[in-house]
Amino acid sequence: MTQTWNLENVSQIAKESPYTFYLPSNEVIKQLEIGDVVKLMFNCDVENDQGWSAERMWVEITSREGDQFQGFLDNDPYYIPDIKAGDELSFNSHHIMQTSLEDPIPNEVDKFLPRCFVTNSVLIDKNPVIQLFREEPDEEYKEKNYSGWNLFSGKEDDDYLNNGDNWNFVSLGAILNIDDKFKYLLDSEFGSEFVWSEAENEYVKI
């Protein structure tokens, strides 16, 4: 039977989505030894009732040589047919997406979990953030982890902005993955508004 699964190179995902995909630091990877448990992503295209294309499962390390590991699967998969708990497999450090150890390096991704309002022009069409302002959230939206930021591409007219279908409520990290040049502004006070200046090659407060 042909193997239906393969391990995802999660380091590549982290490169493509650095503000939303947590990756264990090199420091914690160096600490891993026999008996420690790590989480890997198993890709599999077998049809299933959840519509999944991958499962994330724990593996206990049984040997290590540099960045090369051996281990056994610590739990049964939900839908992957040709692997089960106790099966041995080989993997590399670039397959590890989580560990059972405390990471000495803070998780930067958590800083960008607060949400923002952003137009489809930025989120869907991938236009850069040209204008942004920060409002103080009311109590309802504070509970929803709203940062207060509203982000625009500058291509939107009033009709576009007045259509609720053109707005999204997503994490700041999701937008930083598209355009991160406004990252240094995120701690600005409520009421702040900025626009990108091509002449000055920076955001100008307005």
Side-chain angles (χ1 to χ4, degrees):
M1 179 179 178
T2 303
Q3 181 173 300
T4 66
W5 57 272
N6 66 280
L7 294 175
E8 178 68 59
N9 181 349
V10 292
S11 65
Q12 185 60 40
I13 297 178
K15 287 179 182 178
E16 295 169 356
S17 304
Y19 296 104
T20 53
F21 192 88
Y22 165 73
L23 199 64
S25 69
N26 290 331
E27 284 73 10
V28 77
I29 294 295
K30 290 176 184 177
Q31 295 177 22
L32 291 171
E33 56 188 27
I34 294 172
D36 289 329
V37 181
V38 295
K39 185 176 284 187
L40 313 180
M41 185 184 298
F42 295 73
N43 293 324
C44 181
D45 290 330
V46 172
E47 186 175 348
N48 60 91
D49 58 9
Q50 298 291 327
W52 293 347
S53 60
E55 292 194 60
R56 303 178 180 195
M57 296 185 285
W58 292 97
V59 173
E60 183 172 329
I61 298 170
T62 56
S63 68
R64 175 178 189 176
E65 292 187 16
D67 285 333
Q68 300 295 322
F69 296 82
Q70 296 281 334
F72 66 83
L73 191 63
D74 200 38
N75 56 276
D76 285 317
Y78 176 81
Y79 79 97
I80 301 175
D82 52 333
I83 191 171
K84 63 184 184 301
D87 284 355
E88 293 186 322
L89 64 149
S90 301
F91 58 97
N92 191 282
S93 58
H94 63 236
H95 295 125
I96 299 173
M97 62 183 302
Q98 191 173 338
T99 80
S100 57
L101 305 180
E102 183 175 352
D103 199 326
I105 305 300
N107 179 4
E108 288 291 301
V109 170
D110 286 346
K111 292 169 52 177
F112 308 112
L113 289 176
R115 302 174 83 80
C116 63
F117 283 105
V118 61
T119 65
N120 288 338
S121 182
V122 175
L123 182 65
I124 306 300
D125 299 334
K126 311 301 182 187
N127 288 308
V129 175
I130 297 301
Q131 188 170 355
L132 63 164
F133 72 84
R134 191 179 194 191
E135 61 184 345
E136 185 164 8
D138 59 24
E139 289 304 317
E140 177 186 357
Y141 274 93
K142 281 182 180 178
E143 294 178 1
K144 296 178 180 179
N145 200 23
Y146 177 37
S147 67
W149 283 109
N150 292 255
L151 312 175
F152 313 83
S153 72
K155 297 178 180 291
E156 309 92 344
D157 58 21
D158 287 343
D159 288 340
Y160 186 101
L161 294 174
N162 289 330
N163 184 345
D165 291 337
N166 292 325
W167 287 94
N168 308 271
F169 189 57
V170 300
S171 72
L172 287 164
I175 309 306
L176 289 167
N177 285 336
I178 298 169
D179 177 17
D180 66 357
K181 67 179 181 292
F182 67 94
K183 176 182 172 183
Y184 73 99
L185 299 174
L186 291 180
D187 291 331
S188 300
E189 62 186 8
F190 296 122
S192 298
E193 185 170 2
F194 302 89
V195 64
W196 178 257
S197 169
E198 289 291 347
E200 301 185 37
N201 196 37
E202 65 179 358
Y203 287 100
V204 177
K205 193 169 186 178
I206 55 177

